[in-house]
Amino acid sequence: MSIDLPAADDWSGPRSLLAGNAQCGSKGTLRRRGLGRLLGECALMTELFHRLQRVAPTGVSVLLTGESGTGKELVAETIHSLSAGREEPFVAVNCGAIPATLVEAELFGYERGSFTGAVRSQAGYFERAGRGTLFLDEAGEMPPEMQVKLLRALESRRFYRVGGERDIPLQARVVAATNQALAENRFRADLLYRLAVFHLHIPPLRRRGEDVYLLAQCFLDRLNEAEGSNKGFSVDSMRYLQEHSWPGNVRELYNTVQRAFILADDEVDLRGASEYGADIAEPGVTADCAVTFRQGMSLSAIERVVIKETLRRCSGNKTRTAAVLGISVKTLYNKLNEYRALD
């Protein structure tokens, strides 16, 4: 017998600010732990920072995965800023926004007269990046035939402009990103292996524990500084930060703080401001969110397993765990005290 639980990722609880800033606060005096312009203190972010510091100086291709709004481009910029080519250009490309017929010309460039409308020669993104970093956001959205050409360029480290005969050395480091899980991506397998020499996953906000408070306060500090005000969060706002699942991740959090800041006189009300935002659907339950029980287990034993597993998937957050289970925090504490006594 198994019971489906909500996925761990689903449980409630201007771009330069997307993943926070390691140096936020009034007049820049309040420092918080982070890396570059990334902010976070939870175990998942601390591990991400460690891996970033390891891979950034190497120059290998990196694949970033993570939901929309988690700050993948900011992570790519951090890799660039810690690399040997930090003084070279950082060029970001949204592959999903380029028409399929123009992807090759945009990436590799083209020569005059190579197609209708090519009235002059144009360098592509690879050339513009030079010895710096080329960030291919949503690279999996590229057409399959373009993925073949990209793979060839990455393997040979050379490419041709559309309509050109001169091969051009590929000197830029490539960092790619997708908001899909690796098992669900649209990459060709051979291209995926070439891009994912090093894979980094950016965790969703709902899995970052108390980082949500850190980020919210950082955003509020920046807004206060910009406006010369001294607004603070209401008590209910602090509850809302933990109760809400933030399906739009850090981007949604910033937009909510900014919206509440605009509406507030002195006290910032995040819950009230949420009514003026987009209604983003909660992510679906994933396949690995089932707990299996032995036949003949007592109801009390099943209840204990469910409570403990829910607490684990909520990263030990008791308020969020109680909300997921539909019980009061007091009831949860009583249950946990009973289990400790039995243990």
Side-chain angles (χ1 to χ4, degrees), residues 244-256:
H244 187 53
S245 61
W246 303 106
N249 292 296
V250 184
R251 182 182 292 118
E252 181 191 0
L253 174 62
Y254 175 70
N255 289 342
T256 303

Side-chain angles (χ1 to χ4, degrees), residues 142-157:
M142 284 190 295
E145 61 273 14
M146 188 59 221
Q147 291 192 29
V148 174
K149 294 178 180 179
L150 175 59
L151 174 63
R152 187 181 303 120
L154 291 174
E155 289 183 333
S156 67
R157 303 301 295 179

Side-chain angles (χ1 to χ4, degrees), residues 96-108:
I98 304 175
T101 55
L102 296 178
V103 174
E104 183 177 6
E106 290 291 316
L107 289 181
F108 299 144

Side-chain angles (χ1 to χ4, degrees), residues 171-182:
Q171 304 176 87
R173 178 194 204 151
V174 175
V175 178
T178 176
N179 62 13
Q180 296 174 320
L182 290 184

Side-chain angles (χ1 to χ4, degrees), residues 13 212-213 216 237-244 246 253 270:
V212 68
Y213 299 117
S237 289
M238 304 309 285
R239 295 195 200 96
Y240 182 74
L241 283 172
Q242 201 63 60
E243 293 171 3
H244 187 53
W246 303 106
L253 174 62
L270 295 179

Side-chain angles (χ1 to χ4, degrees), residues 9 14 24 75 79 104 106 138 166-167 181-182 190 224 231 272 311 313:
D9 286 356
C24 297
V75 172
I79 292 173
E104 183 177 6
E106 290 291 316
E138 302 309 329
R166 177 177 62 91
D167 66 330
L182 290 184
D190 46 7
N224 273 326
K231 299 178 183 181
L311 182 65
R313 295 190 186 185

Side-chain angles (χ1 to χ4, degrees), residues 307 317-336:
I307 289 176
N317 186 297
K318 295 180 179 61
T319 301
R320 190 183 303 177
T321 300
V324 169
L325 295 170
I327 60 177
S328 68
V329 176
K330 181 179 179 181
T331 299
L332 176 62
Y333 272 101
N334 289 338
K335 292 288 185 184
L336 294 175

Side-chain angles (χ1 to χ4, degrees), residues 24 26 29-30 42 73 78 103 112 163 169 179 234 241 279 299 331:
C24 297
S26 178
T29 57
L30 179 58
C42 71
E73 184 168 343
T78 301
V103 174
R112 178 181 176 183
N179 62 13
S234 66
L241 283 172
D279 184 15
L299 289 176
T331 299

